Every structure is written in C-alpha cells, then in structure tokens.
Amino acid sequence: MADVILLERRGVPSASICTEALKASANAMAAIQGMPGYRYAVIPHPVSSLGDDEIAERAKLALPQVLDILHAKVEAP
Amino acid sequence: MTQEAPPARECYEEADLLEAIERCFDLGWTDGLPVVPPVPNLVERFLSQTSRDPNEVIWTMSQLRRACTVELAAINAAMAGCRPEYFPVVLAALEATIDEGQPGVGGWQSTTGGGPLHIVNGPVRTELGFNCAGNIFGPGFRPNATVGRAIRLIILNVYGIRPHELDQSTQGTSGKYTLCIGENEEESPWEPLHVELGYAPNESLVSAVHVRSCEFVDHRHSAEPHHILSDIALTISRTGTGAHSHMRAVVILGPEHAQALARRGLSKQDVKEYLVEHVGMARAQVRALGRSPVSLTQAPTEEDRPGMFAPTVHHADYEDDGAPDEFLPMIAAADDVLVVVAGAPNAGVSAVGHPLGLARALPGRAMVDAPMSA
C-alpha cells in the first residue's frame, strides 16, 4: 500500500490489490501515508494457497476494479 | 484500543498514580498490561544514564515516517518497568533489533507474527541481574522481563505497529511481550557469543534475532552428540519453520547438552556444521507437503536483494523430478546457525528459535555503552 501511494505521488498511475483479510492493515497504511480512504482492489482471501485456475478467477475479480481505479482521477495530497 | 497520540511525558502527582495507569490504557500506550506512568522525573533518571542527546533519532521507519528518539526510548523503557540503569541495555537492544534488518523489510508486520529474541552477553548481565540460568524464557526477573518489553512498547507506541492495524500477525506469539535472555557464559564450555562475534570478554553486547517462536527439545536419555544433535536437527527441519532450501536457525543449548557435546570434543563450529549437514528432509517428504515449488528454489542472488520473501517465490516452471529419497538440506552454511548456551544445567533440555527468512545480519548486534555513573 505504501509503495502504491508513493508511486501515485510521483505521478505514476497505480493500483493496489488486497485480500479481504488484509484490509485493516491496508487502511492503516493509507492513513499513515496521508491518503485515508485510498481506494484499492479487494479480492477474497486467500491467494498463496490457490492453484492456477483459482488464481485466474481472482484475477478476473481484480481486473475491472484495477481498471476502474486507473481510469479514475486521484488527487495526491 | 487505538492509540491517540505517541507517548509523552505526563505530569502527575503521586496521588494520581492509579488514575495515571488507567490514563495510559485510555491513550493506547500499553501492551495490555499496566505500564508505569512516564512521569517527568522518572524519564529524566533514564536520560541521565546516557550521554546521548534526547532528540537524537535512533532509527526512522521510512515507510511509516515514524522515528524513535532517545527520549521516546526512555519514556517507553520507563513505562515497561525498567530501572533507569537498564537504559543503556534498552538502547543497545533497540539498535541490535534494527541492525538485524528485519524492521526495515516489514518483519514487525509479518503474518507469522514473531518478534526479536534478545541475547545479552558480557559483564552487564551480572551487574544488572539478567537471568541466564533457570527459566530463561519464563517470568521472575526484572531485567529480562522489562528490557524486552521496552522494545515491544517502542514497536507498539513509537512505530505504531499494533495488532489489528499494521501488525498483521495471524496468531502471534507470547514472546512478543518480552523475549530477552542472558547467555549462561559461566556454564558454557565455549566462548560466549559476543567473543565469537569479535568483541572483548569485558564488553557487553545485545544480539537480536527475529524469531517466530521458540520450541523446546527434550533430550535427556542420551549424552551422545549425534543423538542430541539429530533431535535438534529434526526440530529445525520441521515444516512449520518453512521448509525452504535456505533458512536459518537459532539453537539455545541448555548447559547440560552443551557440556555433553564439548566433552566429546565438539566446538560450536562443529555443532553448526553438523546441523548444516543434517537439517533437511527427503524430497518425497517435501512433495508430500506440497511444498516443492516454493521449497526447492535457488539461493537468493544479489539482484534479488536477499530479504525475507526471496526464498518463498513460487517458481511455476520448477521441475520436481529428483529421486524421492534424495536428502534436501535446508541450511546453506554454518553462518546461518546461531548457537548460544542458556538455562539451568539440570536437565537435557534445549530450545530452537525459528527465525524469519534471511535477514541482513545474524544476529543483529549493538554494544552496551558503559553507564554514566561508572
């Protein structure tokens, strides 16, 4: 989350993908980086134990969110 | 309880003590246990133990933009219940923890949820009363209990790495309250850790290793070195630690085990080399665990920027076509094993600490400054 926000600050359009289970720390980090409420793609947990097909399903869920985030205007503070 | 502001010196009269303890809870400044309210004259007594400027920054966590100064360390050491004269050890413990390299790469936020194991060596152990013998991991000794706790309070209060927020621990470990031991130099058959690391016997050192847990090895039925060390190797090899082809281990030998090994002529280096040779498992067993793709990867290269996650990269094109009975070692080199001697010489009991990944240093280390009054 910190990396993505730092990239945004440098003007690089960025999107972060996070699982449901890790939202609390993602939100905390966004607040620390001065962007509370920073929007990111959310997919179900887990990821690391999935097979190739299940990973592809996760990617299908993430992709429209990522595109939406990249197309939205984000004002870096 | 979410923290509202970082700890600061609060002004309280003695009669307000109970209220002050509760106020520290309300402000989110605790690890769940009561803290000593950091009243100004107490914090001053800590700062008087060092020649360092209270405003000196010890370390900044760049991704959080939070820094610990000498004064903030003193405040948290006071809250942890340290005596002021422990403060130089607290500073060294913090610097050793930083020196290891884990905090900079997210070790404090890891889902496996470990924390620093601090090992104290040198004269400061006996001067301040660090427990090096019976019950090293247990309660009863103020320096062990409070120096480790001071570092945890700094992680919680100064860096703001709190559970359910930035600390992503799935289960954590009780060692996150405190995990600080003295080496039992007096009953070790070998040179103490700080001398092995190049320091003089009369210097005091704190070493730090981020461990995910410490696990006992009960082996009191034989004094044969290969029996003792095979038992320890089995404990390290277990899949719970990761079963990666490149991992590290901390071996905290009880004096009885250490002396049995030394009596048969083994040095600390011999112990490390034995473990390099014997820690691992058969390929078939790694397969049975479904770990082949993540376990049997090459060592991280310079380009990989060796860090905690380098060895866990999934290599989709990895061909696991070796012989089932092939032994796959898990520790690459003797320098990936840390051996210390601690505990009472009353049973064949040792412990294994399971580090997180491949940190920059094994162990992190920092010398303890001589007290101002010396």
Side-chain angles (χ1 to χ4, degrees):
Chain A
M1 187 59 60
D3 292 342
V4 168
I5 291 173
L6 293 173
L7 282 168
E8 294 274 15
R9 284 225 170 78
R10 291 183 175 217
V12 181
S14 305
S16 178
I17 305 170
C18 182
T19 71
E20 285 280 357
L22 297 169
K23 281 169 64 178
S25 49
N27 292 339
M29 181 58 88
I32 288 163
Q33 295 297 334
M35 296 185 81
Y38 180 82
R39 193 175 154 212
Y40 51 89
V42 180
I43 57 173
H45 203 78
V47 168
S48 64
S49 58
L50 301 182
D52 292 350
D53 292 346
E54 295 162 305
I55 289 284
E57 287 301 315
R58 294 282 198 274
K60 281 178 193 163
L61 292 172
L63 184 62
Q65 299 181 65
V66 168
L67 291 175
D68 210 33
I69 291 166
L70 291 176
H71 286 131
K73 279 197 182 293
V74 177
E75 297 297 327
Chain B
M1 175 72 209
T2 300
Q3 184 186 6
E4 292 178 1
R9 294 190 227 189
E10 295 281 317
C11 192
Y12 287 106
E13 299 301 324
E14 201 172 326
D16 297 334
L17 186 58
L18 292 176
E19 184 192 325
I21 290 172
E22 288 304 320
R23 179 155 168 74
C24 289
F25 275 111
D26 294 342
L27 290 164
W29 292 355
T30 89
D31 51 8
L33 294 167
V35 294
V36 176
V39 296
N41 62 5
L42 176 59
V43 175
E44 281 303 329
R45 288 170 58 202
F46 280 75
L47 291 171
S48 72
Q49 297 289 319
T50 179
S51 58
R52 297 170 71 166
D53 185 331
N55 295 317
E56 179 193 336
V57 172
I58 298 169
W59 184 65
T60 300
M61 194 168 189
S62 59
Q63 61 269 50
L64 300 183
R65 294 181 290 187
R66 288 174 177 158
C68 187
T69 60
V70 170
E71 181 181 22
L72 281 168
I75 290 167
N76 283 278
M79 290 200 297
C82 291
R83 291 179 60 85
E85 57 265 36
Y86 302 171
F87 190 46
V89 186
V90 171
L91 289 173
L94 179 58
E95 290 179 323
T97 304
I98 304 305
D99 180 56
E100 189 201 3
Q102 286 288 16
V105 295
W108 287 343
Q109 292 141 271
S110 164
T111 44
T112 40
L117 162 67
H118 296 111
I119 303 154
V120 182
N121 276 102
V124 77
R125 294 169 309 125
T126 46
E127 289 162 9
L128 297 179
F130 279 88
N131 180 30
C132 311
N135 203 36
I136 43 164
F137 296 123
F141 298 87
R142 186 171 177 179
N144 306 60
T146 61
V147 169
R149 188 186 186 204
I151 304 306
R152 177 53 53 185
L153 289 178
I154 289 169
I155 295 170
L156 288 164
N157 293 334
V158 179
Y159 295 105
I161 297 173
R162 312 182 69 80
H164 299 196
E165 297 172 27
L166 290 175
D167 181 336
Q168 303 178 107
S169 297
T170 306
Q171 296 187 319
T173 168
S174 54
K176 288 172 80 168
Y177 283 101
T178 182
L179 194 53
C180 179
I181 67 175
E183 182 163 33
N184 191 340
E185 298 178 18
E186 290 71 17
E187 295 183 284
S188 168
W190 302 310
E191 61 182 7
L193 177 62
H194 68 307
V195 175
E196 179 190 337
L197 295 172
Y199 297 85
N202 65 354
E203 292 175 321
S204 293
L205 187 80
V206 181
S207 303
V209 186
H210 182 107
V211 294
R212 302 194 274 188
S213 67
C214 287
E215 182 175 7
F216 72 91
V217 181
D218 186 332
H219 185 104
R220 57 183 95 194
H221 44 277
S222 160
E224 287 296 326
H226 68 276
H227 289 156
I228 297 170
L229 292 177
S230 292
D231 222 343
I232 291 170
L234 259 178
T235 304
I236 299 170
S237 302
R238 276 188 27 265
T239 175
T241 63
H244 300 305
S245 54
H246 295 275
M247 59 180 226
R248 289 175 172 162
V250 180
V251 180
I252 303 117
L253 287 170
E256 189 173 309
H257 280 163
Q259 289 165 14
L261 296 169
R263 268 198 304 277
R264 303 298 178 94
L266 272 73
S267 66
K268 260 202 274 190
Q269 185 67 18
D270 293 332
V271 170
K272 296 177 185 187
E273 288 173 5
Y274 184 98
L275 294 173
V276 169
E277 199 175 330
H278 291 87
V279 169
M281 53 177 76
R283 184 183 290 276
Q285 194 170 1
V286 176
R287 278 184 191 146
L289 299 165
R291 281 183 178 267
S292 303
V294 293
S295 297
L296 309 176
T297 57
Q298 73 278 20
T301 64
E302 284 295 314
E303 288 172 3
D304 289 332
R305 291 180 60 223
M308 51 192 291
F309 297 119
T312 67
V313 173
H314 184 121
H315 287 240
D317 56 352
Y318 176 76
E319 295 289 341
D320 179 21
D321 54 0
D325 60 351
E326 181 189 356
F327 181 77
L328 302 172
M330 292 177 183
I331 296 179
D335 287 347
D336 288 327
V337 181
L338 190 72
V339 176
V340 297
V341 177
N346 63 359
V349 172
S350 291
V352 165
H354 303 293
L356 174 65
L358 302 171
R360 183 177 67 213
L362 179 74
R365 63 204 75 169
M367 270 181 67
V368 180
D369 290 338
M372 294 291 282
S373 52

